[in-house]
Amino acid sequence: MAELSQLFILKVSNDQMIAELHYTDEYLMHQELNVTMEEFTQFLHNNKIIFGLDEGSIEKVVSGGVPLEDFPMVIARGIEPIPGLDGKVQYTINFNPMIEKDLNDDRWDFREVMRIPSVEVNQILAKLILPTEGTDGTNVYGNLVRSKPGKPIRMKAGKNVRFEEKSLTFYSESVGQANVQGNTIHVHPVYEVSDSLSMKEGNIDFIGTVIIKGDVPSGYTIKAGGDIKIYGMVEAATVKAEGSVYVAEGLAGQQKGTIEAGETIQIGYINQGNVYATNKLFVENSILHSECIAGDEIICQRGSVIGGHSSAGNSIQIKHVGNHMNTRTELILGQNHKELQETEELQSQKKEIEDTLKKLAVLGEKLSQVPNIESNPKLFQALQRQKASYDKNVELLDSIKEKLESLNHETNEKYAKLIVIGNIFANTVVAFGKYKRMIDTSYNKVQFELVRNEIYMRSLEDSFA
């Protein structure tokens, strides 16, 4: 009688969670061999397979005549460990300043898009939920497989916030605007100007939220560690917020006015302005001859974008692009057009310096081969100048490479979309990163996306029917 070890081979997965039974050539000549349950169980034990045995598969082997197509058979299966749950933050207030709205709904009120999360003293802001340990498993050898414990969440109390260790709770210590920046919870007090900004207040640089009940005239600067809310208009002024910016009327920038936000910008219109939003840019009416950048998306579903450059990381949704006069208008998806221009300029500078270094290297080699060059003051000075110029260009090249590396981040043009729910006119440039398409005739209700490195346009008529 053949030994079971001659008939079968046991193979265990790398993680030791599955044991499979394979047959040998010897088995082909002993398929009708009777095997007792005790013999087969002992065979498994001899191979140290003792846990998670599949009784159905074992019965099949013991009964004899297992078809070859049933091999390999899972003969034992361990219990996988269940990893612990990560810790999390359970917020008790809504920190999101955005109000969810259907942008295709004509009843959408632009002025209801943003709200400031306001809190009172000693109000509960959030609670920490601790991670769990998880459940251990067992492999087919009967060995314990430790589960991976959950990771603790890192959240700390910032300005005007206290954390109580016993209850794992964050409390507000001030009346103001609650804000989460990174892994820190802050409560920013509010600075309010009851009228248009004037010489009475001067420039504003405030750690919290700034509210202007009137206009921001040309020449003024407002900086805020929280949000900025302006009930009037902004002229050729500078407005910068680490949070969001809301402008009820608009920006008449005269090519000098700038608005920057670390989060989202909502504004009535933009005319000859420079607008930069890390997250989203909502424009109620039109964008005219301006430079606009949004890290996520630009939404301008009631007006037109005419002239200038507008770029967004993920999507641009516009009613009309360009005009009947075919004013050149550029829309860039997936990449910041300012960074794209800077990258191109740096690449050009890099090539020039590399060419210069090659020429200097050739010159240096020729000069260094001159015998007793120290005795020739003119040539020796030329060699010294060559070395100084070479070192200076190497230093400059390293600086440019460092800048290029800082700009070399992942782009999103493969997943970005441009949606035009009205008309897109001729002389509009649509770009997805380095891929560009010139629109040479007018289209209505279309969507653009990048498909296999080509800019593809499709109709939205069915969607808006």
Side-chain angles (χ1 to χ4, degrees):
M1 174 179 173
E3 296 288 337
L4 291 181
S5 59
Q6 296 175 316
L7 304 177
F8 301 110
I9 296 174
L10 284 168
K11 293 185 178 180
V12 179
S13 61
N14 292 334
D15 61 2
Q16 301 181 352
M17 284 294 171
I18 295 177
E20 289 183 339
L21 187 70
H22 296 249
Y23 65 83
T24 65
D25 292 341
E26 188 73 15
Y27 175 78
L28 300 176
M29 296 182 291
H30 299 85
Q31 291 189 49
E32 302 301 325
L33 181 68
N34 291 324
V35 180
T36 66
M37 180 67 73
E38 290 76 16
E39 289 174 337
F40 193 79
T41 302
Q42 187 60 48
F43 165 67
L44 294 177
H45 283 204
N46 290 344
N47 286 272
K48 300 181 181 179
I49 307 299
I50 60 174
F51 183 83
L53 302 181
D54 189 322
E55 294 182 1
S57 295
I58 295 174
E59 285 285 350
K60 201 171 184 180
V61 175
V62 169
S63 63
V66 180
L68 296 181
E69 59 265 26
D70 284 359
F71 288 94
M73 299 174 61
V74 175
I75 212 71
R77 191 184 300 272
I79 296 177
E80 295 279 353
I82 301 174
L85 299 175
D86 291 342
K88 61 182 181 179
V89 180
Q90 186 178 71
Y91 296 107
T92 56
I93 67 168
N94 185 4
F95 283 84
N96 185 3
M98 303 297 299
I99 297 175
E100 295 294 331
K101 290 287 182 182
D102 182 2
L103 300 177
N104 294 316
D105 189 346
D106 290 334
R107 295 171 297 175
W108 174 52
D109 187 351
F110 177 79
R111 288 165 180 80
E112 293 181 356
V113 173
M114 179 181 173
R115 61 166 173 258
I116 296 176
S118 300
V119 295
E120 301 293 335
V121 177
N122 289 326
Q123 183 172 341
I124 295 176
L125 306 176
K127 293 184 178 181
L128 291 184
I129 307 298
L130 296 177
T132 61
E133 290 297 324
T135 305
D136 295 335
T138 307
N139 63 27
V140 295
Y141 295 124
N143 298 325
L144 184 69
V145 180
R146 294 289 184 187
S147 64
K148 187 177 181 180
K151 297 179 181 179
I153 187 75
R154 293 185 178 182
M155 185 63 68
K156 61 184 180 180
K159 301 178 183 69
N160 301 311
V161 175
R162 76 176 186 277
F163 177 69
E164 293 189 359
E165 193 76 38
K166 186 175 181 180
S167 61
L168 301 176
T169 304
F170 294 90
Y171 292 87
S172 169
E173 290 192 321
S174 171
V175 174
Q177 177 233 343
N179 174 262
V180 176
Q181 294 177 344
N183 64 340
T184 306
I185 301 177
H186 299 284
V187 172
H188 298 291
V190 176
Y191 180 87
E192 185 173 306
V193 177
S194 59
D195 204 343
S196 294
L197 198 60
S198 66
M199 290 296 293
K200 181 180 176 181
E201 295 82 18
N203 292 331
I204 296 174
D205 188 351
F206 187 58
I207 193 172
T209 292
V210 174
I211 296 177
I212 308 294
K213 291 294 184 70
D215 302 328
V216 181
S218 297
Y220 284 91
T221 298
I222 301 176
K223 294 181 180 180
D227 296 332
I228 296 177
K229 191 169 186 178
I230 299 167
Y231 287 82
M233 66 173 291
V234 179
E235 296 179 355
T238 299
V239 176
K240 294 183 179 181
E242 292 184 20
S244 296
V245 173
Y246 168 79
V247 182
E249 293 187 22
L251 170 63
Q254 303 168 40
Q255 298 181 345
K256 296 179 181 178
T258 299
I259 298 177
E260 296 182 22
E263 296 294 337
T264 296
I265 295 175
Q266 289 93 41
I267 190 167
Y269 65 86
I270 303 171
N271 185 2
Q272 297 184 62
N274 304 286
V275 178
Y276 311 101
T278 302
N279 194 356
K280 301 176 188 290
L281 170 60
F282 291 91
V283 184
E284 184 179 12
N285 295 307
S286 295
I287 301 174
L288 306 175
H289 307 288
S290 298
E291 298 286 318
C292 296
I293 296 172
D296 185 7
E297 61 181 348
I298 295 175
I299 297 175
C300 181
Q301 290 191 323
R302 290 186 176 183
S304 301
V305 176
I306 301 172
H309 302 77
S310 297
S311 62
N314 290 314
S315 70
I316 298 179
Q317 301 178 46
I318 306 175
K319 186 173 184 180
H320 301 301
V321 184
N323 57 14
H324 290 286
M325 298 175 64
N326 295 337
T327 300
R328 184 181 175 89
T329 305
E330 295 193 25
L331 303 177
I332 301 92
L333 282 298
Q335 196 163 354
N336 179 327
H337 69 267
K338 289 288 187 183
E339 290 185 358
L340 190 60
Q341 291 171 4
E342 187 178 354
T343 299
E344 290 174 353
E345 290 173 3
L346 288 170
Q347 290 285 11
S348 177
Q349 293 175 23
K350 178 173 174 283
K351 186 178 185 306
E352 287 180 10
I353 294 171
E354 288 173 341
D355 291 342
T356 300
L357 285 172
K358 288 179 182 178
K359 294 175 182 177
L360 287 170
V362 172
L363 176 62
E365 186 177 352
K366 289 180 179 179
L367 289 172
S368 62
Q369 292 175 355
V370 175
N372 301 320
I373 191 171
E374 294 85 356
S375 61
N376 188 327
K378 188 175 181 180
L379 289 180
F380 185 70
Q381 287 178 4
L383 180 61
Q384 295 297 103
R385 287 195 300 270
Q386 181 272 339
K387 288 180 179 179
S389 181
Y390 189 91
D391 292 341
K392 185 177 180 180
N393 277 275
V394 167
E395 185 178 340
L396 186 58
L397 182 62
D398 289 341
S399 175
I400 289 174
K401 287 180 177 178
E402 188 176 332
K403 289 179 182 177
L404 281 170
E405 190 174 342
S406 68
L407 292 171
N408 186 22
H409 53 77
E410 289 188 10
T411 58
N412 203 32
E413 60 262 23
K414 291 183 180 179
Y415 309 101
K417 291 182 180 179
L418 166 61
I419 299 172
V420 182
I421 63 175
N423 297 314
I424 182 168
F425 293 92
N427 206 24
T428 295
V429 177
V430 176
F432 285 74
K434 64 182 180 180
Y435 304 99
K436 294 184 178 181
R437 175 173 175 174
M438 173 64 77
I439 305 304
D440 53 12
T441 187
S442 297
Y443 297 96
N444 179 256
K445 294 182 180 179
V446 290
Q447 174 175 308
F448 295 84
E449 55 192 332
L450 191 65
V451 180
R452 291 186 291 276
N453 296 335
E454 289 190 9
I455 298 176
Y456 173 75
M457 179 180 69
R458 67 179 180 86
S459 174
L460 293 179
E461 285 289 347
D462 294 338
S463 301
F464 289 92

